[in-house]
Amino acid sequence: MSHNTQAPKVVYEGKYQRMVVRGTWEYSERTHAGGLAAIIIAVTPDDQVLFVEQFRVPLQALTIEMPAGLVGDIEAGESIEASAVRELEEETGWTADHAEVLMIGPTSSGASSERIAFVRATGLRQVGAGGGDDSENITVHAIPRARAAAWLVEKMNAGYQLDAKLWAGLWMIEHHLDGTPRG
């Protein structure tokens, strides 16, 4: 097994990302502390899964996603859990009494050093309309859990871009990481 231990060379740095070359590898890094994002798995008290719809410039397409955001992009040192609840409220108008980090892993290990935390939000209550901050135009969808996977397929067939993490998130609603059912 060979590891590339050459020093990284930053070839471009913007406000949120930098491009790095290390030997023959080119990849991006997040510039905020930790390079970590959170995806929030949230089910309302009436058993609806929260999804967000928005236009994503890199894809030039509408996407369906679970609420998500960068950890520590607003307040340095902010915990994953606090970031997740803040993003959930900002994007969907729902807040949570509790947030639990289920796992942290890479988003695209061949192209980026970014990692994502799957965060399960519980004790949800609606406190606003959502829709994101001034730079975002987010539509909130609350879909009955029993229909969520079928709804995602319908959206995919209608031309929306969907990330495979959506199905991982749905699985984590009903299972612990080791596959045992949630009680």
Side-chain angles (χ1 to χ4, degrees), residues 22-46:
R22 186 185 292 254
T24 59
W25 282 90
E26 297 176 344
Y27 58 95
S28 67
E29 294 179 335
R30 291 283 187 184
T31 58
H32 69 284
L36 185 64
I39 183 171
I40 302 100
I41 303 163
V43 181
T44 67
D46 60 349

Side-chain angles (χ1 to χ4, degrees), residues 46-125:
D46 60 349
D47 207 28
Q48 295 188 320
V49 182
L50 295 178
F51 296 104
V52 293
E53 172 186 330
Q54 59 187 313
F55 182 82
R56 290 295 197 174
V57 172
L59 297 173
Q60 286 293 292
L62 285 169
T63 64
I64 301 293
E65 305 168 12
M66 286 181 168
L70 301 176
V71 174
D73 66 327
I74 303 295
E75 182 182 324
E78 183 179 43
S79 71
I80 297 169
E81 296 85 351
S83 290
V85 172
R86 175 181 49 79
E87 288 288 348
L88 177 67
E89 187 172 328
E90 178 184 292
E91 292 189 1
T92 70
W94 289 79
T95 193
D97 291 334
H98 183 71
E100 172 191 8
V101 176
L102 302 178
M103 69 161 290
I104 299 172
T107 58
S108 181
S109 57
S112 175
S113 63
E114 180 182 62
R115 296 171 304 129
I116 194 156
F118 280 86
V119 179
R120 184 171 180 249
T122 54
L124 267 64
R125 62 188 185 284

